[in-house]
Amino acid sequence: MIVDMTPEDIIGEYQEATLTYCDGQSRKVLYTELETPYPDGKLIVSTTTPDGIISHVNRAFVEMSGYTEAELIGAPHCILRHPDMPSAAFKDLWDTVQRGEKWQGFVKNLRKDGGYYWVKATVIPNVRGGKVVGYTSVRRKPSRSKVDECIALYPTLS
Amino acid sequence: MSYMFTVSPDFAPDHLSGWYIFNTWLQKQSAEAIHLEMYNHYQDLHQAIAADKIDLIYANPFDAAMLVREKGFLPLVRAQGESDEAIIAVNANSNINDVADLKPNTRVAFTDDPDVRLMGMIMLEPADLHAGNIAPLLSDNHVLVAKHLLKGEADVGIILAEAYDNLSGVIKKQLRILVRSQISVIYHSLMIGPRLQNRRADFQKILLEMDKDEKGGGVLNALGFNAWQRIEDEEMEFMIDLMDTLNT
C-alpha cells in the first residue's frame, strides 16, 4: 500500500502532483526545488522482490532518500519516483529487466522531504536457479553534463 | 592427492610470508596436502583458473562471478570487517580539487587490480571520464602509482585504500585524497573449488574457529586480519550481482 506524502515531512516551499503507477495505484506527492548533491565515493544499493517491493537497503540509500530503513523495507520502490521523471523511462526499465537484461539510466529521485537527487542507476535481475527472485539496483554519482542532458530531454518524453 | 591454493595477486607484499604460514597451518588443521602457488599477475592467475589447476583461492571480488558461475567454486569465509575500497589521489600541489574538474585525456595511473580499477573508474565518471578518453598509465604496484603522481607523470592515481593507508608518511604528505570510496559491500573471499568441496563444512569450521586458537590467532595477525567470518551462498550471489551492475 502506498501512502500520500504529507506537508509536515516537507522542507521548503512545495508543489503537489498526483502520480499514477503502472499497477493503477495513485499517490499524491509533494516536491520542492531543493537538490541534495550525490556524495562522492558512495553507492546506493537496494534489492526488491519481483513485484518491486523493497527488501534490502544500504546506509547510503537511507541517508539520500530521507526515509528510515523501517519505512523503506516493504515499501514499493516507486515511492522514490519524482513527477519530473517520464513514465516511459520506468516502462523501459521494467520491460528490460523482465527480459532478464540489465537496465541503466539517469534518474531524478524524490526524497521524503520533497527534495530530489540525481543518480546513474543500474538495475539487474537476481537470477537464482534459473528463476528471477528479485532485482538489485545500484546508484552512483552521475556527471553534471549527463544530468543536464536529461533535464532537457525528459520533459519531451511522456 | 595434493590440492592447489592461490591468493589474488593484489595481496599486500608485507603479508606474503603470512600466506605461506597460513597454508602450513591449514594443511595441518585439515590434514590435506595443499600447495600454495602465488601469481604476480592476474593474467597468470586467470590461466591457472582456466586450466582448472586451483582448488582454493583468496579471490578478488572481480573474479568471484567467474569462479562461481563458470568453475563451480563456493564461498567459505571473508576477513571480518574488511572490505575493498579505492582512493583517487592527486599530487598535494595539484590544482585539481574535485573530480568534476578533470577533463578528457587526464593521465590516470592504476595497477592491474581489477576491482580497484573498477571502483576508481566509477569515481571518475562524474567528470565524464571513461576507459576511452583517459590516458592510462598501467603500473606494477600501488607504490608506483603514488610515484607517478609525485613525479607529475600522472594527474590522478587509483589506489587500493589499504595500500594508500600503508604508504610511508613521507609519500602521503606529498599526496592528497580526492575521493575515498565508501562502498563497504565488496570484499575478497576465500573460495573452495569442486575437487575439495566435500570438505567445505570442515574447512569453514576450522577457519571460523581460527581466531580462538593461540597459534591460529598469530597466523591471522600475519595476514593482517582479526578473524574470518562465514559467507553465505546468497551473500556471494548478492556481491556477484553487485559487481555485475558496476561492470558497465
Side-chain angles (χ1 to χ4, degrees):
Chain A
M1 180 64 191
I2 191 157
V3 293
D4 288 341
M5 292 175 75
T6 52
E8 49 269 30
D9 287 330
I10 306 303
I11 297 171
E13 285 194 27
Y14 63 86
Q15 299 179 67
E16 279 187 33
T18 300
L19 300 181
T20 303
Y21 305 115
C22 54
D23 64 358
Q25 286 198 76
S26 290
R27 183 192 192 205
K28 186 171 81 175
V29 296
L30 312 177
Y31 61 103
T32 72
E33 295 302 318
L34 292 176
E35 179 170 8
T36 300
Y38 195 105
D40 280 315
K42 290 194 180 181
L43 295 178
I44 296 174
V45 182
S46 59
T47 52
T48 71
T49 65
D51 302 328
I53 303 299
I54 299 170
S55 52
H56 165 83
V57 294
N58 73 344
R59 186 179 292 275
F61 192 135
V62 172
E63 288 167 4
M64 286 300 283
S65 69
Y67 291 97
T68 64
E69 185 172 346
E71 287 171 324
L72 290 168
I73 301 293
H77 212 281
C78 57
I79 61 165
L80 301 174
R81 192 173 300 183
H82 195 282
D84 289 350
M85 282 300 295
S87 50
F90 294 104
K91 184 175 184 315
D92 181 48
L93 187 164
W94 281 105
D95 288 349
T96 304
V97 294
Q98 282 172 352
R99 283 197 306 270
E101 296 168 16
K102 193 183 301 187
W103 182 89
Q104 197 162 63
F106 295 88
V107 179
K108 184 177 186 177
N109 278 147
L110 179 63
R111 286 169 51 91
K112 184 184 179 182
D113 66 10
Y116 68 90
Y117 58 99
W118 279 94
V119 299
K120 178 181 178 181
T122 310
V123 184
I124 59 159
N126 307 128
V127 181
R128 306 284 184 268
K131 201 176 153 201
V132 174
V133 297
Y135 300 99
T136 293
S137 173
V138 178
R139 279 81 85 197
R140 56 219 223 201
K141 185 170 182 167
S143 76
R144 203 63 225 175
S145 67
K146 290 284 192 295
V147 169
D148 289 343
E149 281 173 26
C150 293
I151 290 171
L153 173 70
Y154 286 171
T156 68
L157 304 174
S158 56
Chain B
M1 183 176 179
S2 176
Y3 298 98
M4 192 184 284
F5 172 39
T6 192
V7 177
S8 183
D10 56 356
F11 64 87
D14 293 351
H15 298 147
L16 176 62
S17 59
W19 285 110
Y20 281 98
I21 298 166
F22 172 72
N23 189 51
T24 305
W25 181 88
L26 191 61
Q27 288 186 87
K28 199 171 173 190
Q29 297 295 317
S30 66
E32 296 284 2
I34 303 168
H35 168 70
L36 174 60
E37 182 77 36
M38 300 294 269
Y39 298 100
N40 287 325
H41 297 286
Y42 279 92
Q43 199 182 351
D44 302 330
L45 169 69
H46 292 157
Q47 279 173 4
I49 294 170
D52 295 324
K53 288 183 179 170
I54 309 298
D55 299 296
L56 202 60
I57 179 171
Y58 189 62
N60 185 292
F62 202 88
D63 291 330
M66 176 260 293
L67 288 163
V68 170
R69 303 257 160 93
E70 294 170 31
K71 292 293 176 184
F73 275 70
L74 292 172
L76 290 173
V77 290
R78 56 182 283 206
Q80 197 173 67
E82 303 282 333
S83 62
D84 292 11
E85 302 289 353
I87 276 174
I88 302 292
V90 293
N91 188 302
N93 298 322
S94 167
N95 54 8
I96 300 160
N97 294 306
D98 190 318
V99 165
D101 297 340
L102 298 169
K103 302 278 182 252
N105 300 318
T106 292
R107 297 168 302 167
V108 184
F110 47 71
T111 70
D112 67 348
D113 185 340
D115 76 321
V116 173
R117 191 188 325 185
L118 181 66
M119 289 188 278
M121 289 308 295
I122 285 170
M123 290 193 283
L124 295 180
E125 278 183 358
D128 284 319
L129 294 185
H130 51 79
N133 69 356
I134 59 164
L137 202 53
L138 185 62
S139 314
D140 265 353
N141 57 56
H142 294 295
V143 175
L144 291 178
V145 172
K147 285 191 175 162
H148 283 309
L149 293 172
L150 298 186
K151 289 182 186 168
E153 294 162 351
D155 303 306
V156 298
I158 300 171
I159 305 178
L160 176 72
E162 185 193 354
Y164 183 92
D165 294 337
N166 288 330
L167 290 172
S168 75
V170 178
I171 293 181
K172 270 195 281 192
K173 264 189 194 159
Q174 299 173 73
L175 298 175
R176 176 157 47 85
I177 296 175
L178 214 52
V179 192
R180 179 188 282 262
S181 74
Q182 298 172 67
I183 295 173
S184 309
V185 281
I186 295 174
Y187 46 81
H188 278 56
S189 46
L190 192 58
M191 303 176 77
I192 194 164
R195 280 189 294 263
L196 252 180
Q197 265 166 29
N198 61 335
R199 303 268 346 249
R200 186 188 184 197
D202 303 326
F203 272 64
Q204 260 177 336
K205 187 169 184 291
I206 291 166
L207 293 162
L208 293 171
E209 290 172 356
M210 189 172 175
D211 59 308
K212 292 164 193 85
D213 174 70
E214 195 181 329
K215 267 194 181 163
V219 178
L220 279 166
N221 282 341
L223 294 174
F225 303 150
N226 294 322
W228 296 108
Q229 71 183 77
R230 183 193 303 273
I231 306 174
E232 303 296 343
D233 290 351
E234 178 50 32
E235 266 180 89
M236 177 56 70
E237 290 290 339
F238 177 70
M239 189 172 74
I240 291 171
D241 282 343
L242 200 67
M243 292 302 288
D244 199 11
T245 67
L246 298 179
N247 205 6
T248 43

